[in-house]
Amino acid sequence: MPYEGEFAQYKPLRRLVESERVQKLLGSYKVRTPSDNINSLQILRPIRIQPGDWIPELLIAIDGSHAEVDIKNGFPGAEASYVTVASVILDVAKMQKLDQQRPVNPKEFKTIEKAESIDCALPGSNVICEGEKSAQDSLRKSIFEVLSSVRMSEEGESLLDTYEALLKYKPRTEQTQKCPYEDCPQNNDYLRGENKYTCSCELARSLYSTDALRIHERMNPAGTNGSIFGEIMQVWERLWMVHILRTLEAKQWLSSLRRLAIILDGQLAVFGQPAWISQAIYQELCRINTVAKRFTEGKDILIIGVEKTGTFVEHFENLDRKENGGFGNFPPQSVGLLTDSYIKQNIIFSDSTRPYGDATYFGRKFFYKTKCGARLVGTYTWVCYQI
């Protein structure tokens, strides 16, 4: 224990910072200044917009969450995850009407929304379902069973049917996927199929169409698996969005899209192992949009993803910050559409020739500042633009 006021004689961090190599590295960094924000703003050229005459009467908001919990089953590190994806239908027209009649009766205000959710518990490390041989196989089976059991309409398609409709868009590439069973006698490639089927090897074990998501491949058998449960949640959020639209199509309710908008929590994108489904969603949205325009007087489906945190949110905040620390560089009621070159030069550096988000996004980034000064970072799709 040191005496009062005594400090260690050896200062490794200070020695490291003062070393010639570190000083040379730090000296090569480019530090952005407030003037750089002004330059970026000039490049972005925000456009003032006037409010349109179309206001959606209904909003469908989709959001998900997941939480990992320890399971006491005699094995160390055993965990499960509770995954929820909720959707809320908000009657915007009624909300505006009630807003003009304040004070509003709370019971009456409650009627403007209707919510439903997908809730499930998924096995993680050291949690094995009955009849399965590993936690990975248990997770594969659970994902399939959840999608099989969920549907918006009792007589309509299941979430699994929606997924398999998207699976048909997945290209067959030279890079093959291996059988999920590591001890497969023939070390077979994974043969994509529908629903539940069997491996072609002599053991004839169960395979699922949902294995094509490849989420199970990153399962950590000896630690937490929050990242893959996050991937599952993001896939289910976006699947549910497509499921809603396909159900409206099946029930011949596409005309309702004239007064409906869909808001998704987060980017209009899918990351990680199941990223391929992003472009499948884009293609299916284009198909539905083409059909829907016959019933909506030519209006496109409006889908917006809203980001609350992340690099783009931080950039927009810095862009709006003045040299004195206040905000106001970005004009109210203005929108800035982010080009590929702007993103690569000002937000996420890249010299790649491929467009940013080419494989993961099915929407285009934008910045918007409201009349009251709130900043919104979003991704929008009128569905038929080119990414």
Side-chain angles (χ1 to χ4, degrees):
M1 295 293 292
Y3 297 107
E4 184 177 352
E6 182 183 11
F7 298 95
Q9 296 299 313
Y10 183 56
K11 300 179 180 179
L13 290 180
R14 183 173 179 179
R15 180 181 61 85
L16 181 64
V17 170
E18 291 177 350
S19 73
E20 182 180 349
R21 183 178 298 177
V22 172
Q23 287 292 317
K24 184 177 180 181
L25 177 64
L26 292 175
S28 68
Y29 287 162
K30 181 182 178 182
V31 179
R32 297 186 69 90
T33 65
S35 61
D36 291 323
N37 294 338
I38 298 298
N39 294 335
S40 298
L41 187 62
Q42 292 172 344
I43 296 171
L44 184 60
R45 294 195 298 272
I47 304 168
R48 286 189 178 275
I49 58 173
Q50 296 296 324
D53 58 356
W54 181 78
I55 298 177
E57 298 177 19
L58 297 172
L59 285 178
I60 296 180
I62 302 173
D63 190 10
S65 64
H66 65 96
E68 286 65 62
V69 294
D70 295 333
I71 302 295
K72 295 182 179 179
N73 62 356
F75 290 94
E79 71 169 0
S81 180
Y82 296 116
V83 181
T84 297
V85 173
S87 60
V88 178
I89 300 178
L90 197 64
D91 190 333
V92 178
K94 186 174 182 179
M95 180 176 66
Q96 291 177 327
K97 184 178 179 180
L98 290 175
D99 189 50
Q100 297 173 0
Q101 303 172 2
R102 295 192 178 203
V104 180
N105 186 326
K107 289 185 178 180
E108 183 70 11
F109 190 80
K110 187 67 176 178
T111 62
I112 69 171
E113 65 178 38
K114 181 180 178 182
E116 57 181 303
S117 64
I118 306 170
D119 304 292
C120 66
L122 298 176
S125 58
N126 274 335
V127 176
I128 301 175
C129 299
E130 185 176 354
E132 300 300 325
K133 294 184 178 297
S134 69
Q136 187 183 80
D137 296 340
S138 300
L139 178 63
R140 291 173 45 239
K141 180 180 180 181
S142 297
I143 292 173
F144 173 80
E145 289 180 343
V146 171
L147 294 190
S148 302
S149 64
V150 175
R151 65 190 70 227
M152 182 178 171
S153 171
E154 289 185 6
E155 68 276 9
E157 70 176 35
S158 67
L159 205 55
L160 179 68
D161 296 325
T162 300
Y163 162 76
E164 291 188 345
L166 297 176
L167 183 60
K168 293 177 182 178
Y169 292 111
K170 184 180 182 183
R172 298 182 182 275
T173 61
E174 295 180 0
Q175 186 177 1
T176 57
Q177 177 181 346
K178 290 298 182 182
C179 176
Y181 297 101
E182 294 182 357
D183 59 344
C184 180
Q186 300 175 12
N187 194 28
N188 287 338
D189 291 336
Y190 169 69
L191 299 177
R192 189 191 309 173
E194 296 182 353
N195 217 286
K196 179 181 178 181
Y197 54 107
T198 56
C199 182
S200 59
C201 76
E202 60 197 51
L203 298 178
R205 290 178 291 199
S206 296
L207 294 175
Y208 309 98
S209 61
T210 48
D211 289 338
L213 290 169
R214 306 185 69 169
I215 293 174
H216 61 276
E217 294 181 2
R218 294 204 307 116
M219 189 171 192
N220 181 3
T224 186
N225 285 279
S227 60
I228 65 170
F229 292 124
E231 288 183 0
I232 293 171
M233 181 197 72
Q234 70 166 336
V235 169
W236 287 359
E237 287 175 337
R238 287 142 188 81
L239 267 182
W240 187 247
M241 174 192 67
V242 178
H243 182 71
I244 290 172
L245 293 173
R246 285 177 58 88
T247 301
L248 293 178
E249 180 186 21
K251 288 184 170 291
Q252 299 183 351
W253 292 346
L254 287 177
S255 60
S256 64
L257 293 174
R258 283 180 299 186
R259 56 194 187 96
L260 173 68
I262 299 176
I263 308 295
L264 191 70
D265 179 54
Q267 306 99 317
L268 297 185
V270 180
F271 304 101
Q273 294 292 86
W276 64 263
I277 205 171
S278 173
Q279 294 309 300
I281 291 173
Y282 175 73
Q283 294 179 70
E284 179 66 358
L285 289 179
C286 283
R287 183 196 68 79
I288 296 173
N289 188 63
T290 300
V291 177
K293 287 173 75 172
R294 299 202 296 263
F295 303 93
T296 61
E297 301 175 352
K299 293 187 181 297
D300 294 303
I301 301 170
L302 176 58
I303 303 171
I304 296 179
V306 178
E307 301 175 40
K308 301 189 292 290
T309 60
T311 306
F312 286 85
V313 175
E314 292 176 6
H315 178 76
F316 192 13
E317 182 178 332
N318 290 334
L319 203 65
D320 193 33
R321 183 179 286 112
K322 295 183 176 182
E323 292 190 9
N324 62 6
F327 294 100
N329 278 337
F330 203 93
Q333 288 188 292
S334 295
V335 64
L337 295 178
L338 307 188
T339 63
D340 181 61
S341 60
Y342 181 88
I343 292 173
K344 291 176 179 177
Q345 294 174 18
N346 296 279
I347 304 177
I348 299 177
F349 175 78
S350 174
D351 57 3
S352 172
T353 57
R354 292 185 62 183
Y356 173 81
D358 180 51
T360 53
Y361 277 79
F362 55 96
R364 180 174 177 178
K365 295 275 194 181
F366 70 92
F367 292 158
Y368 176 66
K369 192 172 185 181
T370 67
K371 184 177 182 180
C372 64
R375 291 180 297 273
L376 175 67
V377 177
T379 320
Y380 81 97
T381 176
W382 287 98
V383 184
C384 289
Y385 72 92
Q386 294 296 318
I387 296 177

